[in-house]
Amino acid sequence: MLLSLPCLPLKAQLVSSRLPLDARLNEQVIMLPAGDGLRETLETTLFRPAGPGPFPLLLMNHGKQAGPARLQQRERFIYMATEFVRRGYAVMLPMRAGFARSTGAYRDVGCDMLGNAQGQARDMLAALAYARRQSWVDPQRIVVAGQSYGGMAALALATRVVPGVRGVLNFSGGLRVDMPGCDWQAALAKSFATMGAYNHIPSLWLYGANDSYFGPALARRLFRSFTGSGGQAELVAYGPFKRDAHLTLGSRDGVAVWLPATERFLQKIGMPVRQVYRVSDAPSPPATHFAPQDDIAAVPYLEEQGRAAYRDFLEKTAPRAFALSASGAWGWAEEGESPDVRALASCQRRSSLPCQLYSVDESVVWPGASAAGGAQ
């Protein structure tokens, strides 16, 4: 299964972002040309160290959330991007056709798992072709990675001979298709066997014990199907992670789980692992000790429903944040990236007055009387 890389223009269009761009990582969002005749564009996030490069490249691929692909927002995998930029990599994360602000249609061929994976790999090849033309990319040192559906698509890409790609990172890779007449687990195993038979690029697989999509038995089945037909892969089966190991890669605390094995694999395939750039951790608001965090009665502004929401918030997993407003509005977020930004946005959608953070992780950060001119 050989597929040539398409020729792409040297430049892509810069676009504005709905989320704050991370200056620590020189984050940019571009619209990258792709598709037949380059008539499509992919909303693509770039992270890279300061300087002209050339840098080794990580091409990261997202999964698919429930619901229409068009409603899925731009993925960043900020914790993973941070660790790779620290090690001198540029990081590229394209939203594939039909997702977020990418144009084109989402490719779906039902229970044909191999067809699904190959359809998604087309956009990865377009992104690689663009990357290889950039002066800041080292075209001989590339790693392709993916989470969930993106991990499966990365394995589909590895059935091609792709210049410069030295390895694939598969984080909880697979696809679940709930439709009549589809034995999705058997179809998945069959597609992994085919991808293993045509595999050209070594891969590292990471699956957690409490993965809600691909549990240990299924992960082992997919691994045996892939390696049994000749695929080059190493499986790291780790224990339970919080409420769902399928979300390990998007969690701040997941870094300690996936990074050690990833560094060993990168070293094995001749890719950099030493930290060469300093990237500070994202700042967190200081604790104010306005009140004990579990003192629900001390939280200002909230009516009964808001206090019930704060009580529920206290059971959420860190990283987490709770925001409120003098209007009585509130919002919270847990896990994933920037829970403080997401909590504020959730609150602001309900409020005509400005929202502020009340609690972040295990601390109260509410500034007290100064927050609203003395009103509490």
Side-chain angles (χ1 to χ4, degrees):
M1 290 187 197
L2 233 25
L3 190 66
S4 61
L5 297 178
C7 293
L8 293 179
L10 290 174
K11 294 187 179 295
Q13 178 187 1
L14 279 169
V15 295
S16 61
S17 172
R18 298 169 189 168
L19 297 174
L21 298 178
D22 195 327
R24 303 172 308 139
L25 304 173
N26 299 306
E27 182 180 7
Q28 289 181 301
V29 182
I30 65 171
M31 298 303 290
L32 186 153
D36 295 337
L38 305 181
R39 290 187 293 269
E40 297 174 359
T41 56
L42 308 180
E43 183 182 23
T44 301
T45 304
L46 303 177
F47 301 101
R48 53 178 166 166
F55 307 111
L57 176 71
L58 171 70
L59 175 66
M60 179 62 196
N61 294 273
H62 61 85
K64 184 183 184 303
Q65 298 172 7
R70 182 65 61 202
L71 299 182
Q72 188 164 324
Q73 296 188 6
R74 177 173 68 96
E75 299 278 5
R76 298 166 78 217
F77 292 99
I78 197 73
Y79 305 114
M80 184 185 197
T82 299
E83 294 303 327
F84 273 83
V85 170
R86 282 173 172 156
R87 288 157 178 79
Y89 288 73
V91 181
M92 177 180 288
L93 296 96
M95 299 301 295
R96 299 186 298 274
F99 287 90
R101 289 195 287 180
S102 296
T103 64
Y106 169 60
R107 302 181 186 99
D108 181 6
V109 288
C111 202
D112 180 358
M113 296 294 192
L114 184 61
N116 283 322
Q118 290 174 325
Q120 300 302 304
R122 285 177 52 189
D123 291 338
M124 297 164 60
L125 288 168
L128 280 173
Y130 170 82
R132 289 173 56 82
R133 290 173 175 265
Q134 307 310 303
S135 62
W136 45 269
V137 171
D138 181 345
Q140 299 306 315
R141 294 193 297 170
I142 299 173
V143 174
V144 175
Q147 189 267 343
S148 194
Y149 196 5
M152 184 178 175
L155 293 175
L157 179 141
T159 64
R160 282 88 165 173
V161 176
V162 186
V165 177
R166 298 191 182 186
V168 166
L169 299 170
N170 166 27
F171 297 95
S172 304
L175 176 65
R176 177 171 177 166
V177 176
D178 292 313
M179 59 183 296
C182 177
D183 183 347
W184 66 271
Q185 295 191 10
L188 207 54
K190 181 179 178 181
S191 70
F192 272 62
T194 302
M195 291 189 292
Y198 289 92
N199 174 248
H200 291 282
I201 303 170
S203 55
L204 174 69
W205 299 22
L206 296 97
Y207 290 79
N210 62 331
D211 190 303
S212 61
Y213 284 85
F214 315 113
L218 180 56
R220 289 192 298 270
R221 180 181 180 184
L222 299 179
F223 181 74
R224 288 194 299 266
S225 296
F226 187 85
T227 56
S229 57
Q232 308 168 67
E234 172 189 350
L235 173 64
V236 174
Y238 58 93
F241 180 79
K242 295 189 174 180
R243 295 192 181 105
D244 188 350
H246 198 69
L247 306 177
T248 303
L249 195 62
S251 171
R252 179 187 65 189
D253 300 327
V255 174
V257 175
W258 62 262
L259 184 57
T262 297
E263 285 187 311
R264 290 193 295 270
F265 177 73
L266 292 174
Q267 193 166 38
K268 188 183 302 183
I269 61 175
M271 295 295 289
V273 296
R274 186 170 62 89
Q275 294 192 39
V276 291
Y277 290 90
R278 184 175 178 205
V279 179
S280 59
D281 292 328
S284 181
T288 61
H289 309 292
F290 168 77
Q293 190 182 39
D294 60 357
D295 187 348
I296 298 171
V299 183
Y301 305 136
L302 299 183
E303 301 294 339
E304 182 179 348
Q305 186 179 17
R307 294 190 189 281
Y310 184 73
R311 186 177 294 107
D312 290 341
F313 165 77
L314 294 176
E315 301 300 319
K316 302 302 178 183
T317 304
R320 61 185 183 176
F322 190 94
L324 49 74
S325 163
S327 69
W330 49 269
W332 60 266
E334 69 168 331
E335 275 295 358
E337 61 189 65
S338 305
D340 53 345
V341 174
R342 291 185 286 125
L344 285 166
S346 175
C347 174
Q348 204 63 64
R349 284 193 293 269
R350 302 182 175 99
S351 178
S352 59
L353 298 175
C355 292
Q356 291 185 271
L357 293 171
Y358 179 81
S359 179
V360 175
D361 291 344
E362 308 306 323
S363 300
V364 171
V365 299
W366 181 255
S370 63
Q376 292 180 36

